[in-house]
């Protein structure tokens, strides 16, 4: 394999798609101002019964899982000695950093008493029994770790290998030296908080339908987030670095697709064992319950199964189109799984339901647009992507 | 060398996965070891067969806790009171109503039911709250503290009775719930406003231990009067407010709960996985070691 280095992709920064995305963000900012002026209730459909909506469930829980590429890569490259996949690490870590930062932001406008967020830094308020506390601490530390890992690619812009004697170069050398220390955190912290994001469901007990509630709910979140991470790497690589002449890249992505397949199969197996054990099979066919549970359950299953179908065989894994769709479907399946756990399958009382309001949706969509715009701009300016 | 290290890691991974799974299973099996209420725990006991539905407790609670009235859209006795601003007529618990009497009616049978925080012995809300804003006090009251709360609303998600309410329409809302009259000072005087005023002694205040004894005594003395159960004995791992009724509890909106607290299940998993942070530290060390080897090997190759 010839040696390739990541390079800025270059090009104009304010392209029409970027401007469009910034426009959506502007509308989102307007509603955010309303939210801070008048309270969460004025822009959302949240109620005392359905108190976690898309800001928390999609913005934080789904959002953090979707950008697990950094975690999946770190795991494969450094722990399983999969050095050949190394070229995927940079974009994946950058996307993780952005995704996690935005998950943090989402939490900041979702919580009702935002100054209270500082309580996470005051020992007397720490609550070690709380899964949410564990998740919050691990996510914050992980953002720090990701910044250290993204650091080198940003710094490389500011010196050349021939004349490496300025501050940026020294910092770069230092970061590279301590990299192996951060990598340990890069695996341990996501393992802890990704399972924690599922573990949040445990204490909700019977308010969550047996189709989704199980003692293994944290493990299920962990397994599926790794699959989603592989999907995310595949999707970004195909989008940004796709080059049909680059056989190496396709080969490696195909192997990621295979890993993704294995994780999804394990996920689905455990999922079904638990549904059967909890006696939830009947609920899966209860289409007249008045709830969306059965429908949403089968859509979730379908997304996973069709996703699997796209990446099932070795020949399928060598087609860019196949693994691209497969990756997306698995990401969508994993996302719907999380929405099902915390919103669709969450029944605090008979007859209550939740659907986000328009401003609520716009705030979420605007934040995603801003995130994508930032990612694209950084990729254009800094050496992130490895391309032939 | 390479194959050796790989199988070593695979083995480790297997052990790790096993270690993560076993306690979860073990824990669900042992969840029956519920927390015992202490002798100091105060509580309330509501006997639905004695309640006459006068709502005196609602009024007293609002007065004691300085809560706003909620004018209802009710058509009562032929007098059209749509958008009436005459009387307080809440439809359900809310940020202005932390105690409510509701009527259940089906054919000939009817019953009232009182709703407020249950002051659970092993409360989900206390266990879930990330910043210690909800505390199980030594006297048994589960109280909310303003300065500590981040407004994450996890308590609303995990309370089996949907008790905590949040001021969604305030720019910096509060969580509101029955504090067992801890905030207004009555609890320190061994009283609560709602039990003080009840004319038929349907809801009484006292040591939880004594209240339980009283409930079982009534149940044994007149079994035909009740449905045969004391709600709160074991429900959700035990409650600080217990109930007797003729009508099945589920019909009164008291959910059928398991005889353990999900807080115990959640904390069990949390404690086994993170006991002394040993598992994460070992995992960290192993991964740093692996990463170091991978990195140095590939630097040589460069
Ligand atoms: S009833 Fe709900 S709010 Fe009250 S102590 Fe129990 S879990 Fe907490
Ligand atoms: S909303 Fe406040 S009281 Fe409720 S769990 Fe969150 S921090 Fe605790
Ligand atoms: S104990 Fe106090 S706060 Fe609770 S319902 Fe009774 S009067 Fe209201």
């Amino acid at each position: 394999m010839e040696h390739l280095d990541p390079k800025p992709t270059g090009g104009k920064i304010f392209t029409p798609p970027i401007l469009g995305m910034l426009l959506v963000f502007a509308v989102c900012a307007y509603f955010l101002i309303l939210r801070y002026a008048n309270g969460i209730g004025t822009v959302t459909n949240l109620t005392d019964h359905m108190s976690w909506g898309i800001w928390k469930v999609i913005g934080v829980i789904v959002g953090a899982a979707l950008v697990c590429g950094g975690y999946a890569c770190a795991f494969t490259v450094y722990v399983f000695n999969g050095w050949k996949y190394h070229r995927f690490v940079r974009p994946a870590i950058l996307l993780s950093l952005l995704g996690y930062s935005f998950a943090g932001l989402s939490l900041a406008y979702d919580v009702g008493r935002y100054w209270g967020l500082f309580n996470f830094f005051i020992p007397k308020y720490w609550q070690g029994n709380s899964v949410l506390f564990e998740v919050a601490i691990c996510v914050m530390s992980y953002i720090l770790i990701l910044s250290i890992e993204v650091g080198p690619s940003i710094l490389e812009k500011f010196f050349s290998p021939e004349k490496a004697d300025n501050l940026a170069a020294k910092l770069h050398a230092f970061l590279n030296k301590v990299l192996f220390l951060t990598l340990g955190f890069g695996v341990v912290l996501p393992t802890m908080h990704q399972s924690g994001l599922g573990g949040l469901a445990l204490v909700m007990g019977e308010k969550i339908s047996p189709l989704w509630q199980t003692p293994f709910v944290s493990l299920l979140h962990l397994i599926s987030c790794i699959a989603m991470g592989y999907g995310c790497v595949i999707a970004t690589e195909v989008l940004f670095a796709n080059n049909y002449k680059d056989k190496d890249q396709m080969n490696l992505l195909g192997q990621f697709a295979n890993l993704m397949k294995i994780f999804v199969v394990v996920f689905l197996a455990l999922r079904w064992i638990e549904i059967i054990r909890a006696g939830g099979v009947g609920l899966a066919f209860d289409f007249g319950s008045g709830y969306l549970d059965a429908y949403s359950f089968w859509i979730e299953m379908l997304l996973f199964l069709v996703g699997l179908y796209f990446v099932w065989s070795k020949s399928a894994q060598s087609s860019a189109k196949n693994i691209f769709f497969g990756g997306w479907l698995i990401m969508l399946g994993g996302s719907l799984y999380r929405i099902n756990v915390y919103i669709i399958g969450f029944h605090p009382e008979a007859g209550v339901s939740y659907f986000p309001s328009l401003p609520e949706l716009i705030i979420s969509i605007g934040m995603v647009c801003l995130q994508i715009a930032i990612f694209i701009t950084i990729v254009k300016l800094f050496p992130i992507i490895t391309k032939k | 060398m390479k194959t050796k290290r790989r199988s070593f890691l695979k083995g480790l991974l297997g052990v790790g996965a096993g270690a993560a799974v076993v306690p979860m299973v073990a824990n669900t099996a042992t969840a029956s070891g519920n927390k015992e209420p202490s002798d100091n725990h105060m509580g309330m006991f509501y006997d639905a067969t004695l309640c006459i539905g006068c709502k005196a407790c609602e009024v007293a609670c609002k007065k004691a806790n300085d809560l706003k009235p909620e004018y209802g859209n009710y058509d009562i006795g032929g007098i059209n009171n749509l958008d009436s601003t005459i009387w307080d007529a809440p439809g359900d618990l809310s940020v202005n109503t932390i105690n409510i009497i509701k009527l259940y009616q089906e054919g000939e049978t009817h019953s009232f039911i009182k709703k407020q925080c249950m002051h659970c012995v092993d409360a989900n809300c206390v266990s879930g709250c990330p910043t210690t804003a909800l505390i199980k006090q030594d006297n048994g009251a589960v109280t909310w503290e303003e300065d500590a709360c981040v407004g994450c609303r996890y308590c609303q998600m995990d309370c089996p009775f949907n008790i905590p309410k949040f001021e969604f329409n305030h720019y910096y809302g509060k969580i509101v719930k029955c504090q067992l009259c801890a905030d207004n000072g009555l609890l320190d005087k061994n009283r609560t406003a709602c039990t003080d005023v009840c004319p038929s002694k349907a809801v009484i205040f006292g040591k939880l231990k004594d209240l339980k004894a009283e409930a079982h005594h009534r149940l044994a003395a007149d079994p035909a009067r009740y449905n045969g159960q004391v709600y709160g004995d074991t429900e959700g791992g035990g409650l600080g407010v217990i109930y007797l009724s003729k009508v099945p509890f589920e019909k009164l909106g008291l959910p059928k709960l398991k005889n353990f607290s999900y807080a115990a299940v959640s904390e069990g998993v949390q404690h086994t996985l993170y006991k002394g942070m040993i598992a994460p530290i070992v995992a960290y060390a192993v991964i740093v070691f692996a990463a170091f080897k991978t990195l140095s090997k590939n630097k040589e190759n460069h």
Side-chain angles (χ1 to χ4, degrees):
Chain A
M1 197 193 304
E2 68 182 292
H3 186 68
L4 293 171
D5 274 327
K7 287 186 199 66
T9 59
K12 221 175 113 199
I13 290 178
F14 290 104
T15 55
I18 297 272
L19 288 174
M21 286 193 269
L22 290 179
L23 191 73
V24 180
F25 173 69
V27 185
C28 148
Y30 165 75
F31 286 118
L32 270 181
I33 293 170
L34 281 189
R35 174 255 173 271
Y36 279 104
N38 304 325
I40 311 172
T42 45
V43 286
T44 67
N45 277 347
L46 294 175
T47 59
D48 284 319
H49 284 93
M50 302 297 290
S51 177
W52 281 10
I54 56 169
W55 291 354
K56 209 174 256 111
V57 177
I58 298 187
V60 181
I61 299 174
V62 171
L66 277 177
V67 294
C68 259
Y71 172 44
C73 275
F75 213 85
T76 327
V77 174
Y78 301 107
V79 183
F80 288 125
N81 192 17
W83 193 260
K84 53 186 176 177
Y85 304 108
H86 192 247
R87 60 191 292 182
F88 301 146
V89 170
R90 279 198 173 182
I93 296 265
L94 174 64
L95 203 58
S96 293
L97 175 60
L98 276 171
Y100 272 90
S101 308
F102 274 82
L105 261 179
S106 189
L107 197 69
Y109 56 77
D110 176 87
V111 297
R113 308 175 61 79
Y114 31 91
W115 297 119
L117 286 171
F118 288 104
N119 292 351
F120 283 108
F121 303 106
I122 305 172
K124 79 163 174 168
Y125 291 126
W126 290 353
Q127 215 280 77
N129 289 332
S130 167
V131 185
L132 190 55
F133 174 75
E134 180 230 309
V135 169
I137 293 296
C138 288
V139 166
M140 284 191 275
S141 327
Y142 188 48
I143 292 179
L144 192 74
I145 294 294
L146 284 169
S147 324
I148 297 175
E149 290 179 3
V150 168
S153 31
I154 305 296
L155 289 169
E156 270 163 28
K157 175 102 179 156
F158 300 102
F159 68 90
S160 60
E162 298 84 49
K163 216 172 79 38
D165 55 356
N166 61 1
L167 186 68
K170 275 179 200 144
L171 202 58
H172 183 268
F174 173 74
L175 286 182
N176 268 340
K177 223 174 260 156
V178 297
L179 184 64
F180 73 98
L181 286 177
T182 62
L183 290 173
F185 288 117
V187 174
V188 173
L189 291 174
T191 309
M192 285 171 76
H193 67 240
Q194 286 296 342
S195 53
L197 286 169
L200 290 173
L202 267 181
V203 71
M204 299 175 194
E206 286 149 282
K207 286 166 94 172
I208 297 177
S209 153
L211 277 176
W212 291 282
Q213 181 65 287
T214 135
F216 289 90
V217 69
S218 25
L219 193 61
L220 283 168
H221 274 70
L222 185 64
I223 298 170
S224 59
C225 92
I226 298 174
M228 290 162 83
Y230 286 128
C232 172
V233 172
I234 294 169
T236 15
E237 287 290 329
V238 173
L239 264 181
F240 287 92
N242 193 23
N243 184 339
Y244 290 100
K245 279 174 266 157
D246 189 347
K247 284 264 157 36
D248 280 345
Q249 189 208 23
M250 271 315 300
N251 249 334
L252 295 176
L253 286 179
Q255 288 163 25
F256 262 29
N258 195 46
L259 286 170
M260 177 174 79
K261 172 180 122 181
I262 295 169
F263 276 93
V264 174
V265 168
V266 174
F267 170 81
L268 288 179
L270 183 57
R271 191 92 170 64
W272 275 100
I273 292 172
E274 282 304 289
I275 292 171
I276 293 166
R277 202 183 55 90
V281 181
L283 290 171
F285 296 97
D286 190 3
F287 293 100
S289 66
Y291 292 119
L292 291 175
D293 290 29
Y295 299 96
S296 206
F297 172 79
W298 286 110
I299 298 174
E300 176 198 322
M301 283 296 147
L302 219 63
L303 286 169
F304 279 119
L305 291 174
V306 179
L308 274 184
Y309 169 78
F310 270 108
V311 297
W312 192 259
S313 68
K314 277 275 171 286
S315 66
Q317 287 167 8
S318 62
S319 142
K321 221 196 259 159
N322 268 21
I323 58 170
F324 183 71
F325 284 124
W328 269 107
L329 287 168
I330 300 299
M331 283 199 282
L332 286 175
S335 306
L336 185 58
Y337 167 65
R338 285 156 173 77
I339 295 168
N340 281 341
V341 171
Y342 290 105
I343 296 179
I344 309 282
F346 184 77
H347 304 301
E349 203 170 276
V352 298
S353 64
Y354 155 87
F355 193 82
S357 71
L358 194 60
E360 201 175 351
L361 274 167
I362 290 176
I363 289 180
S364 279
I365 296 170
M367 281 295 176
V368 173
C369 284
L370 183 64
Q371 188 180 338
I372 295 174
I374 294 178
F375 180 75
I376 294 178
T377 309
I378 295 183
V379 162
K380 281 176 183 163
L381 294 177
F382 295 95
I384 304 289
I385 296 218
T386 308
K387 209 170 171 177
K388 227 177 206 170
Chain B
M1 172 66 206
K2 195 174 170 194
T3 40
K4 240 189 190 166
R5 198 165 79 79
R6 284 210 163 198
S7 52
F8 163 62
L9 276 170
K10 264 188 201 145
L12 246 165
L13 205 75
V15 173
V21 166
V22 171
M24 294 191 202
V25 181
N27 186 74
T28 13
T30 55
S32 46
N34 284 334
K35 272 189 196 165
E36 280 299 315
S38 90
D39 285 350
N40 298 330
H41 279 185
M42 308 306 287
M44 297 192 287
F45 165 30
Y46 173 81
D47 186 336
T49 65
L50 294 177
C51 179
I52 54 170
C54 68
K55 293 178 181 254
C57 56
E58 268 186 36
V59 179
C61 175
K62 285 213 171 182
K63 232 180 177 170
N65 296 299
D66 214 7
L67 296 167
K68 285 197 210 88
E70 277 181 70
Y71 305 114
N73 302 331
Y74 289 96
D75 185 350
I76 297 166
I79 310 161
N80 199 345
N81 278 297
L82 292 181
D83 288 323
S84 137
T85 48
I86 303 169
W87 53 56
D88 183 30
D92 207 339
L93 292 178
S94 73
V95 286
N96 296 314
T97 306
I98 56 179
N99 167 44
I100 196 167
I101 296 292
K102 286 187 169 186
L103 168 68
Y104 161 81
Q105 205 163 13
E106 194 180 303
E108 286 292 286
T109 48
H110 83 278
S111 172
F112 293 101
I113 181 72
K114 181 177 187 292
K115 292 203 167 166
Q116 76 296 304
C117 174
M118 300 294 203
H119 301 279
C120 310
V121 175
D122 191 1
N124 290 359
C125 63
V126 172
S127 165
C129 179
T131 48
T132 330
L134 288 155
I135 299 169
K136 180 78 178 169
Q137 306 287 354
D138 292 338
N139 57 22
V142 172
T143 57
W144 175 81
E145 193 210 321
E146 181 167 358
D147 290 342
C149 175
V150 273
C152 67
R153 311 184 304 283
Y154 193 21
C155 49
Q156 298 195 299
M157 295 293 285
D158 59 31
C159 169
F161 303 96
N162 306 305
I163 295 301
K165 303 295 169 193
F166 181 73
E167 293 174 332
F168 280 101
N169 290 318
H170 189 281
Y171 71 95
Y172 204 68
K174 290 189 192 117
I175 290 285
V176 187
K177 70 182 242 336
C178 154
Q179 306 265 74
L180 201 63
C181 283
D183 286 357
N184 56 34
L186 286 175
L187 181 60
D188 286 340
K189 296 181 201 136
N190 264 326
R191 299 162 45 198
T192 63
C194 56
T195 51
D196 263 2
V197 297
C198 183
S200 59
K201 296 269 169 290
V203 60
I204 54 175
F205 174 84
K207 284 210 148 113
L208 186 54
K209 205 177 50 173
D210 302 341
L211 294 174
K212 281 195 173 178
E214 170 67 17
H216 282 282
H217 174 75
R218 283 189 206 174
L219 194 60
D222 194 354
R225 192 182 169 96
Y226 302 106
N227 61 22
Q229 262 180 7
V230 178
Y231 190 90
D233 245 354
T234 57
E235 277 76 8
L239 307 177
V241 180
I242 54 171
Y243 288 78
L244 276 181
S245 151
K246 169 90 187 161
V247 178
F249 294 117
E250 270 171 275
K251 303 220 167 193
L252 302 179
L254 296 174
K256 209 175 170 67
L257 297 178
K258 295 257 158 63
N259 61 359
F260 57 83
S261 162
Y262 275 92
V265 177
S266 169
E267 288 182 18
V269 173
Q270 207 61 0
H271 290 174
T272 6
L273 286 182
Y274 300 124
K275 199 168 191 179
M277 291 302 285
I278 290 171
I281 290 169
V282 169
Y284 173 79
V286 170
I287 292 157
V288 164
F289 178 70
F292 183 72
K293 291 201 86 178
T294 307
L295 274 172
S296 42
K297 186 147 68 206
N298 284 283
K299 245 174 225 154
E300 280 161 28
N301 294 352
H302 264 205

